Amino acid sequence: MSELWNTLEQPYQLAITAAIGLALLIVVFVQFQPKAKPALDAKEWQKFKLVDKIVVSPNTAIYRFALKRGERLGLPIGQHVSVSAEIGGKLIQRSYTPTSSDDDLGHFDLLVKSYPTGNISKHFGELRVGDFLSVKGPKGQMKYSPDYATKIGMIAGGTGITPMLQIIRAAMKNPLDTTKISLVYANVNPSDILLKSELDSLAAAHPERFSVFYVLNNPPSGWTGGEGFVTKEMIEKHLPEPVKEEDSLAKGDNRMLMCGPPPMINAMKGHLKALGWPEPRTISKMEDKVFCF
């Protein structure tokens, strides 16, 4: 190598040296460049401007809120934010999981289903582009990482898909993440299945790592998914089995995540217990085998 270097004329040596030096300076600059401060504040409410409303069903939309250019929300995967609004003279708060991630710079998205009798959800439905929403966070016990589990089973109902989708997206786009995820997603009508096209695309793109099974209370003619309510048999067929601590080295560490209406989650707890899963705590912790959002 030194012989080749010696054969080069001095101008070429200087040019190569300068190029190498510049490349090293760029590497050092990027490495030590401070990251943009996260937009979220866990203690202080902040107002974010609604810049777009993307309708996904008759009563559900993705609400996109602006961040500063190049700014990230600062939300760990699996956590959520609190939103607040003054309704009827009272300050009402609710928790929502953004469907966007910190890779989506300059904005964050909330998927919300509006109910006529709801407080915050109805308020969302009345928001117009240009309005502001008070947000605080992050909150929650879940902080997903590629070493969280070998296999993850998910049971979601309605808008309970939001924390699941956040984790699924993060896992599938990470080439170093080998986690296998299977989802049972329950709804009433076909039109209630939120972001179905994206879920189907993810399953098609990662058939060895992600699968989804849909369940409907009112299935259409020719429906090939589950019918009625999610049963113990559906869970047993489509989701991973529990792994005992003494078998974890050989079989891996499986986890179960759930999010949906309280009556549904209570029923699922009974099914999981019958299948050998431990009973979840009232407030789930990161280390729990069964985690309820």
Side-chain angles (χ1 to χ4, degrees), residues 213-231:
F213 180 72
Y214 300 104
V215 182
L216 291 176
N217 292 132
N218 301 320
S221 177
W223 175 253
T224 58
E227 299 183 14
F229 297 104
V230 177
T231 64

Side-chain angles (χ1 to χ4, degrees), residues 59-61 63 112-116 118 120-126:
N59 58 357
T60 307
Y63 297 84
V112 181
K113 186 172 186 176
S114 297
Y115 297 92
I120 293 292
S121 71
K122 183 181 179 183
H123 177 73
F124 265 99
E126 296 170 349

Side-chain angles (χ1 to χ4, degrees), residues 75-251:
L75 187 76
I77 300 166
Q79 296 208 327
H80 53 270
V81 298
S82 291
V83 304
S84 68
E86 187 173 321
I87 301 171
K90 295 181 179 180
L91 188 65
I92 308 296
Q93 300 180 25
R94 292 291 185 272
S95 295
Y96 291 94
T97 302
T99 53
S100 52
S101 72
D102 273 8
D103 293 337
D104 300 313
L105 302 180
H107 74 271
F108 68 95
D109 297 339
L110 297 177
L111 176 69
V112 181
K113 186 172 186 176
S114 297
Y115 297 92
T117 57
N119 286 319
I120 293 292
S121 71
K122 183 181 179 183
H123 177 73
F124 265 99
E126 296 170 349
L127 287 176
R128 298 292 179 264
V129 171
D131 290 344
F132 288 82
L133 184 74
S134 294
V135 181
K136 184 168 67 172
K139 295 178 60 180
Q141 297 292 327
M142 171 61 66
K143 289 186 179 180
Y144 176 79
S145 62
D147 60 356
Y148 173 65
T150 306
K151 295 180 182 179
I152 298 176
M154 296 178 169
I155 304 174
T159 54
I161 191 63
T162 54
M164 309 304 185
L165 181 59
Q166 189 190 58
I167 291 173
I168 294 166
R169 282 175 171 171
M172 294 305 116
K173 71 182 179 183
N174 185 350
L176 301 180
D177 194 332
T178 59
T179 308
K180 293 185 177 180
I181 300 176
S182 47
L183 166 68
V184 170
Y185 186 21
N187 286 281
V188 178
N189 301 303
S191 60
D192 297 321
I193 304 176
L194 304 175
L195 304 176
K196 185 177 185 297
S197 60
E198 180 175 357
L199 291 169
D200 290 342
S201 294
L202 287 167
H206 308 276
E208 301 299 319
R209 294 190 52 218
F210 175 59
S211 64
V212 55
F213 180 72
Y214 300 104
V215 182
L216 291 176
N217 292 132
N218 301 320
S221 177
W223 175 253
T224 58
E227 299 183 14
F229 297 104
V230 177
T231 64
K232 178 170 69 72
E233 290 72 26
M234 291 178 189
I235 296 172
E236 188 173 27
K237 180 178 180 180
H238 297 283
L239 301 182
E241 62 181 5
V243 176
K244 297 179 180 179
E245 292 290 344
E246 58 268 27
D247 298 328
S248 61
L249 286 177
K251 296 184 178 181

